[in-house]
Amino acid sequence: MKIINYVKYNIYSPSKIFIIKKILKTKKPIFIVGCGHSGTTLILSILDYHKDLFSEKNETYIFSEKKIPYFKLWEFINKIKNKRWVEKTPKHVYEIEKIKNVFPKAKIIVMIRDGRDVACSLKERIGSFNLGAKRWVNDNLAWLKYKNDPNLFTLKLETFTNEPESQLKKLFTFLEIEYYNQIWDYNKKKRDFFTNIERSAHEIKRSEQANSSIKSNTCRWKNEISVQEIDYFKKVAGQLLIQLGYEKDFSW
């Protein structure tokens, strides 16, 4: 694919194009996408520890027009070398078609989490349960039409935290990478995630989470959600909650 063709993918920044040209030399890059607060950072942290992968610890937004300061650009490019590249930008859940066109052999991991927990988590961050619920619906609807794509792997956070070893083995089989027991040492050596200039408090918190151990899902919504929020969620997201297997009906 010639460089001029990248224009139709809305990749306008020269630095983005330069990075992509370098990355194209790697085989089957890995993209982690999904609604925010669904475990994308956890999976990034684990894959970052794998000996055959290089994970970019900042969200690149390479498939969008968003302008971000690329921190230590040359260091980033040099570290890739011959390893497979791992990139995590949750919002790329809207750019799966672009990913597939630019990287036909790419492996895409979609992280999923109970929307009620996501909405509660987002409420803590942005102050609105309703906006969190809407975001969960929109972000998940964006990938559903690709659910049968052989290069797309959906991973429920709840299933992963309850059955980490079996789920990670399945994921590694999909990614075509070696599974070895030392991978569970991923959180023993602190690594800096989200190191872009002027990190927000949220990014600092996510970096801390990336270095923490796996925690079982707690269904936080059962203790935090109000009656009004339950009614709202059922209205805007109840059907999707059933479709993704979190409930059988609206009786919860």
Side-chain angles (χ1 to χ4, degrees):
M1 183 177 290
K2 296 180 179 179
I3 190 171
I4 191 171
N5 290 336
Y6 289 121
V7 174
K8 69 180 180 180
Y9 297 120
N10 295 324
I11 304 171
Y12 297 112
S13 168
S15 62
K16 290 181 180 180
I17 293 174
F18 186 68
I19 287 175
I20 287 176
K21 287 181 67 179
K22 291 290 183 180
I23 294 169
L24 277 175
K25 294 181 180 180
T26 70
K27 298 179 180 179
K28 298 181 181 179
I30 299 166
F31 293 89
I32 305 170
V33 303
C35 182
H37 297 241
S38 294
T40 55
T41 299
L42 170 61
I43 297 303
L44 174 70
S45 180
I46 294 173
L47 294 184
D48 175 69
Y49 195 72
H50 196 284
K51 59 185 177 63
D52 297 327
L53 306 178
F54 171 76
S55 301
E56 169 54 26
K57 297 179 181 63
N58 292 301
E59 296 173 8
T60 67
Y61 291 91
I62 61 171
F63 290 98
S64 73
E65 298 177 53
K66 181 175 180 178
K67 296 180 179 180
I68 65 171
Y70 280 90
F71 185 71
K72 296 184 178 180
L73 177 60
W74 283 104
E75 179 182 352
F76 161 65
I77 292 172
N78 290 332
K79 281 183 177 180
I80 295 176
K81 296 182 180 178
N82 294 321
K83 293 187 175 184
R84 284 177 69 185
W85 185 59
V86 181
E87 196 277 346
K88 188 216 81 165
T89 300
K91 284 295 184 181
H92 281 163
V93 74
Y94 291 96
E95 312 298 348
I96 291 177
E97 191 63 32
K98 293 178 184 177
I99 292 173
K100 287 167 56 63
N101 285 327
V102 176
F103 301 108
K105 296 182 180 180
K107 296 290 188 177
I108 303 172
I109 304 168
V110 180
M111 291 302 298
I112 310 170
R113 185 185 183 188
D114 188 318
R116 295 162 293 192
D117 282 336
V118 171
C120 287
S121 183
L122 285 170
K123 178 182 178 181
E124 183 179 355
R125 177 185 170 191
I126 64 177
S128 173
F129 178 91
N130 291 2
L131 288 178
K134 287 181 178 179
R135 176 177 170 181
W136 181 77
V137 170
N138 293 334
D139 287 5
N140 281 286
L141 288 178
W143 67 263
L144 271 172
K145 64 180 178 180
Y146 301 98
K147 64 180 181 179
N148 295 321
D149 191 303
N151 286 325
L152 186 143
F153 186 94
T154 57
L155 179 59
K156 284 186 176 181
L157 178 62
E158 296 83 1
T159 306
F160 179 72
T161 55
N162 290 324
E163 307 168 12
E165 184 175 1
S166 64
Q167 292 300 307
L168 194 62
K169 286 181 177 178
K170 289 180 182 178
L171 176 61
F172 280 17
T173 297
F174 165 76
L175 297 175
E176 300 172 345
I177 58 176
E178 177 187 355
Y179 174 87
Y180 51 98
N181 291 330
Q182 289 82 0
I183 196 71
W184 298 109
D185 294 334
Y186 76 93
N187 64 328
K188 292 184 178 180
K189 183 179 180 181
K190 185 176 181 180
R191 292 157 290 158
D192 288 326
F193 289 78
F194 313 107
T195 53
N196 281 321
I197 299 172
E198 298 180 355
R199 287 197 299 175
S200 66
H202 176 61
E203 288 171 327
I204 293 173
K205 181 178 181 180
R206 284 194 299 168
S207 183
E208 294 173 351
Q209 291 173 337
N211 288 288
S212 62
S213 58
I214 295 174
K215 299 177 182 178
S216 297
N217 181 265
T218 58
C219 293
R220 61 181 292 179
W221 68 270
K222 292 183 178 180
N223 298 318
E224 299 181 22
I225 199 170
S226 69
V227 174
Q228 292 78 13
E229 289 168 340
I230 288 175
D231 291 340
Y232 181 82
F233 194 92
K234 286 182 177 181
K235 178 180 178 181
V236 303
Q239 191 59 51
L240 183 58
L241 196 69
I242 295 171
Q243 184 177 352
L244 294 180
Y246 284 102
E247 294 290 349
K248 294 182 179 180
D249 50 41
F250 287 83
S251 63
W252 53 276

